[in-house]
């Protein structure tokens, strides 16, 4: 880390983490952008991670470790362990006398106040054993330290393999980290890292591994700028997508993982749409939105077939046990789903997809939009305009909801979904109790509306899919159950629009 960054307030670490497999490191060692890497003798690093019994440091987003290397012991406190890909975080390093943490060395760091309040000793939780090769690289005008790590995480409850690449910025422009990553990714299948070493260790001691995850609340300071909100939201969407992408690719392609990938990408595209006024001066915003939509269009077909086979068809069998042709319908739907999943898998495994995600992550961190005046606008002022517009769009598109045709009703559903995502994105800017109560009521009403509109959409999708697969006729919008859902949706919309917006 350069002295200039160490002396500018708290010490910082700026690095890009990339996930890979063991054989990839061998290939990378011969990469022309890493001259001499194959001749570098790896060093063994043993790092022990500590926390209180209640994991107070982890709860505060901090890690404490002591690393042994060549007879020396380095104690490190890091902040921001939950980020994805690019880590720009505070880091405090001190050489200490032995293998146990030294309280004097965490004095003046972010850990000091946490451990003082906890008033509890730290204890060993897990360790990592890594063989590391380090290669200095020049990219553009930047100096970058490339680290190739292979090893394992060890805990009392088991161990897990480790394999990752770290590109640490010593001096220069963070955009060069992504340029170098793209150059390396042309040779081996690199992806944005989503599991830090500490995250793997904590998962081990908790007895869990990879799991399907849903979107999480967006943590924001009240004074966040519009640009800070967008970057935080985009990072959260990327993390949501990557966590579930890993499960889909490595754990047998579970349908719920595909569903959560789609949710993450829909949220990401909604963010690009909602923040369009701020991003207007950067043409890459539109091109990213279009490309993500184009590439992931087949994902919707797979998800629709999952719903059809998992819910619609079983319900149809119960309702019509003597209906001829349902077994054939199931077989055709299963064949269609197999083809759809093959497309999804091919997309996620393609170098074009991996490159798109790395490129997008780089743009989120260093794109032209970050230097535009609009990005510095107060986040709450921006939220008012965006959410007012989204609410008005829903009001207009949902007018006369009970009598809308399926296509127009679908547009109202999209408007409701975008308003919900926007409300979730900006919710963290409003910390007062009154605003929180309004948020809860608003969220419940919006969820109620979405549930009804979603059920109607499922009926229409099932009808169209059954027709396409030459199945028996399905009920349309004039069916009593559909009419009941339409009335409930119209009532939910009215209830929602009667509520005072929490952002005002």
């Amino acid at each position: 880390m350069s002295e200039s960054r160490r002396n500018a307030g708290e010490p910082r670490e700026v690095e890009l983490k990339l996930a890979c497999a063991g054989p990839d490191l061998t290939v990378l060692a011969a990469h022309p952008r890493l001259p001499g890497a194959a001749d570098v003798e790896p060093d063994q690093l043993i790092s022990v991670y500590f926390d209180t019994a209640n994991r107070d440091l982890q709860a505060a987003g901090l890690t404490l470790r002591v690393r042994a290397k060549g007879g020396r012991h380095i104690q490190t406190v890091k902040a921001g362990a939950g980020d994805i890909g690019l880590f720009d975080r505070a880091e405090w390093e001190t050489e200490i006398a032995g293998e146990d943490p030294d309280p004097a060395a965490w004095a003046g760091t972010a850990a000091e106040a946490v451990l003082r309040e906890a008033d509890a000793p730290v204890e060993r939780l897990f360790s990592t054993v890594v063989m590391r090769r380090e290669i200095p690289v020049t990219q553009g005008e930047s100096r970058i330290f490339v680290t190739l790590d292979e090893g394992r995480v060890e805990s009392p409850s088991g161990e897990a393999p480790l394999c990752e690449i770290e590109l640490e910025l010593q001096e220069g422009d963070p955009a060069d980290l992504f340029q170098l990553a793209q150059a390396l990714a042309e040779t081996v299948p690199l992806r944005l890292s989503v599991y830090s070493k500490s995250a793997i260790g904590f998962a081990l001691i908790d007895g869990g591994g990879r799991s399907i995850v849903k979107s999480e609340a967006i943590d924001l300071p009240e004074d966040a700028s519009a640009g800070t909100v967008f970057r935080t939201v985009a990072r959260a969407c990327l993390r949501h997508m990557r966590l579930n992408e890993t499960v889909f690719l490595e754990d047998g392609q579970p349908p719920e993982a595909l569903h959560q990938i789609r949710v993450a990408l829909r949220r990401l595209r909604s963010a690009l749409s909602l923040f369009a006024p701020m991003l207007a001066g950067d043409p890459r915003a539109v091109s990213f939105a279009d490309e993500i939509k184009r590439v992931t269009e087949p994902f919707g077909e797979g998800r629709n077939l999952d719903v059809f086979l998992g819910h619609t068809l079983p319900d149809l069998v119960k309702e019509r046990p003597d209906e001829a042709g349902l077994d054939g319908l199931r077989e055709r739907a299963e064949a269609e789903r197999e083809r759809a999943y093959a497309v999804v898998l091919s997309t996620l495994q393609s170098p074009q997809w991996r490159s798109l995600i790395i490129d997008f992550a780089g743009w989120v961190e260093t794109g032209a939009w970050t230097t535009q005046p609009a990005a510095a606008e107060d986040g709450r002022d921006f939220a008012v305009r965006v959410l007012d517009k989204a609410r008005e769009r829903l009001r207009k598109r949902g007018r006369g909801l009970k009598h809308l045709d399926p296509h127009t009703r679908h547009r109202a559903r999209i408007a409701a979904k975008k308003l919900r995502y926007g409300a979730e994105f900006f919710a963290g800017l409003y910390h007062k109790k009154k605003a929180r109560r309004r948020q809860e009521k608003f969220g419940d009403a919006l969820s109620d509306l979405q549930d009804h509109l979603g059920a109607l959409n499922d009926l229409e999708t099932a009808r169209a899919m059954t027709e396409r697969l030459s199945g028996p006729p399905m009920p349309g919008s004039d069916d009593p159950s559909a009419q009941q859902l339409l009335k409930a949706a119209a009532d939910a919309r009215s209830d929602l629009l009667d509520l005072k917006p929490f952002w005002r």
Side-chain angles (χ1 to χ4, degrees):
M1 188 181 305
S2 70
E3 285 301 314
S4 62
R5 281 191 287 118
R6 282 189 180 278
N7 294 334
E10 63 186 14
R12 309 292 299 177
E13 173 188 54
V14 180
E15 66 181 7
L16 179 62
K17 289 180 176 287
L18 301 163
C20 62
D24 298 333
L25 294 181
T26 302
V27 176
L28 282 175
H31 197 286
R33 293 296 295 116
L34 303 180
D39 299 324
V40 173
E41 190 68 26
D43 291 322
Q44 184 182 67
L45 307 180
I46 300 176
S47 302
V48 181
Y49 288 76
F50 297 83
D51 205 338
T52 64
N54 291 330
R55 311 246 288 261
D56 295 285
L57 290 173
Q58 184 193 17
L62 302 170
T63 56
L64 169 66
R65 76 170 187 228
V66 175
R67 171 170 289 167
K69 177 184 177 183
R72 301 172 61 208
H73 293 87
I74 306 297
Q75 179 173 301
T76 304
V77 174
K78 289 190 179 187
D83 289 338
I84 175 174
L86 185 70
F87 288 70
D88 180 356
R89 55 189 178 179
E91 177 192 58
W92 298 265
E93 286 190 346
T94 309
E95 185 168 353
I96 60 176
E99 61 184 21
D100 295 322
D102 182 353
W106 70 57
T109 75
E112 182 179 20
V114 175
L115 293 175
R116 185 192 307 119
E117 184 176 347
D119 192 25
V122 296
E123 57 187 48
R124 174 177 177 148
L125 297 182
F126 54 88
S127 61
T128 62
V129 181
V130 172
M131 299 304 294
R132 167 170 289 185
R133 281 180 284 186
E134 298 175 322
I135 306 99
V137 172
T138 299
Q139 176 73 30
E141 299 297 319
S142 300
R143 292 192 302 111
I144 298 170
F145 222 51
V146 178
T147 299
L148 308 181
D149 281 352
E150 186 172 16
R152 63 189 182 276
V153 182
E154 298 178 343
S155 79
S157 54
E159 63 178 54
L162 271 178
C163 186
E164 67 178 16
I165 302 167
E166 296 179 1
L167 311 181
E168 183 176 356
L169 186 67
Q170 301 295 296
E171 186 177 83
D173 186 350
D176 287 330
L177 295 174
F178 292 93
Q179 291 295 322
L180 179 57
Q182 291 284 28
L184 298 177
E186 291 176 359
T187 304
V188 296
L190 302 179
R191 298 181 191 270
L192 290 178
S193 178
V194 73
Y195 294 106
S196 65
K197 294 180 179 71
S198 60
I200 295 172
F202 283 121
L204 273 177
I205 61 178
D206 287 337
R210 293 182 299 265
S211 60
I212 295 168
V213 298
K214 295 183 177 182
S215 60
E216 299 175 341
I218 307 295
D219 187 23
L220 296 167
E222 284 189 272
D223 61 350
S225 67
T228 296
V229 178
F230 173 70
R231 179 181 283 119
T232 305
V233 167
R235 284 176 174 175
C237 293
L238 283 173
R239 176 176 170 78
H240 183 198
M241 187 279 293
R242 279 288 295 117
L243 284 167
N244 290 291
E245 180 188 43
T246 299
V247 174
F248 185 86
L249 291 174
E250 299 183 13
D251 292 353
Q253 304 170 32
E256 183 59 21
L258 174 59
H259 175 51
Q260 290 302 325
I261 291 171
R262 288 192 68 231
V263 170
L265 293 170
R266 279 205 309 263
R267 288 168 64 87
L268 189 57
R269 288 173 50 209
S270 292
L272 288 167
S273 175
L274 290 164
F275 284 86
M278 185 195 77
L279 303 171
D282 190 335
R284 298 199 75 195
V286 175
S287 63
F288 274 124
D290 291 344
E291 183 65 5
I292 291 171
K293 180 181 180 181
R294 183 190 68 80
V295 171
T296 60
E297 196 75 38
F299 293 15
E301 177 70 4
R303 174 58 184 172
N304 288 340
L305 285 158
D306 283 334
V307 173
F308 183 78
L309 285 163
H311 300 284
T312 306
L313 192 54
D315 289 344
L316 193 60
V317 171
K318 289 180 182 178
E319 293 171 6
R320 311 180 191 179
D322 300 323
E323 180 85 48
L326 291 183
D327 286 341
L329 177 60
R330 179 185 293 104
E331 290 174 1
R332 292 190 293 276
E334 287 173 345
E336 286 288 314
R337 181 171 66 174
E338 187 174 342
R339 283 190 284 271
Y341 265 58
V343 174
V344 172
L345 185 61
S346 176
T347 298
L348 295 179
Q349 291 179 331
S350 69
Q352 292 81 9
W353 169 256
R354 294 190 299 269
S355 178
L356 173 62
I357 297 304
I358 293 174
D359 195 24
F360 180 77
W363 175 77
V364 168
E365 303 296 338
T366 65
W369 70 270
T370 63
T371 62
Q372 295 177 357
E377 181 184 358
D378 180 82
R380 289 165 68 110
D381 292 342
F382 184 80
V384 168
R385 295 202 310 277
V386 168
L387 294 177
D388 276 351
K389 183 177 180 180
R391 183 174 180 272
E392 178 62 15
R393 185 183 295 113
L394 174 60
R395 187 187 68 80
K396 289 182 176 179
R397 289 187 177 178
R399 189 181 290 124
L401 186 60
K402 287 189 289 187
H403 308 291
L404 297 180
D405 62 86
H407 174 74
T408 309
R409 191 169 65 234
H410 180 67
R411 295 180 70 231
R413 175 173 169 264
I414 296 302
K417 187 173 294 185
K418 190 173 291 188
L419 176 58
R420 181 177 182 180
Y421 290 156
E424 291 172 354
F425 294 160
F426 292 107
L429 296 174
Y430 302 89
H431 294 183
K432 293 181 179 178
K433 288 184 178 179
K434 186 176 181 180
R436 291 291 191 189
R437 287 196 298 269
R438 285 181 178 172
Q439 281 180 32
E440 187 174 350
K441 290 182 179 178
F442 191 85
D444 289 344
L446 195 45
S447 179
D448 191 33
L449 173 59
Q450 273 199 277
D451 286 346
H452 297 312
L453 290 175
L456 285 163
N457 185 69
D458 288 346
L459 286 176
E460 185 62 27
T461 301
R463 185 196 62 75
M465 186 167 292
T466 303
E467 182 177 326
R468 178 165 64 86
L469 295 173
S470 303
M474 295 284 286
S477 298
D478 57 347
D479 183 79
S481 61
Q483 288 296 311
Q484 189 174 7
L485 282 172
L486 279 167
K487 182 181 184 307
D491 291 343
R493 172 183 169 275
S494 296
D495 292 343
L496 173 68
L497 295 177
D498 285 341
L499 292 175
K500 182 173 177 60
F502 67 83
W503 58 88
R504 284 196 167 274

